[in-house]
Amino acid sequence: MIIAKPCVTMKGVVISGYSWDRKVKLDLTRTAQCLKEKGYTVKKLLPGMMLILEMEGYETSVYPSGKIIIKLLEDSRKGEELARIIYDCAGVLEVVS
């Protein structure tokens, strides 16, 4: 299950991926490499802590827990669409869908 909602502390969207079957854990190094190959700009990678990238003009933070924050984005549907790309690269899209 993917839940996208407006962030309460800043302008942006917070997305979380959940599964009843298994714990959602992202390998940020693998995810960053896949996203680079898809043409997205990786700004910073702290393995096991955080991945910061630019997706369609939005600064996006990705955490190992599956939490994603897309700054300045106000459209939750667009946020979910971008999150699906990230979850696909992380290899967990089928788990959270």
Side-chain angles (χ1 to χ4, degrees):
M1 161 179 9
I2 298 174
I3 298 173
K5 60 185 180 180
C7 183
V8 295
T9 59
M10 67 178 183
K11 193 173 183 183
V13 174
V14 177
I15 300 111
S16 298
Y18 297 99
S19 169
W20 297 109
D21 300 324
R22 78 174 215 217
K23 184 176 179 181
V24 176
K25 179 114 169 103
L26 308 186
D27 178 337
L28 297 181
T29 303
R30 171 187 168 183
T31 305
Q33 184 61 39
C34 176
L35 290 166
K36 269 187 195 177
E37 290 169 5
K38 290 184 180 264
Y40 298 103
T41 303
V42 173
K43 292 181 162 185
K44 186 169 229 169
L45 170 62
L46 300 170
M49 292 182 68
M50 178 177 18
L51 166 63
I52 301 173
L53 63 141
E54 188 168 318
M55 295 184 80
E56 299 185 21
Y58 298 103
E59 185 175 283
T60 305
S61 301
V62 183
Y63 299 90
S65 65
K67 181 178 179 179
I68 300 168
I69 300 173
I70 305 174
K71 294 180 182 173
L72 303 178
L73 180 65
E74 294 183 38
D75 182 355
S76 293
R77 285 193 179 135
K78 181 67 174 176
E80 185 176 334
E81 178 185 314
L82 295 175
R84 287 184 181 280
I85 295 167
I86 295 168
Y87 291 143
D88 187 39
C89 275
V92 298
L93 183 58
E94 289 181 6
V95 175
V96 297
S97 289

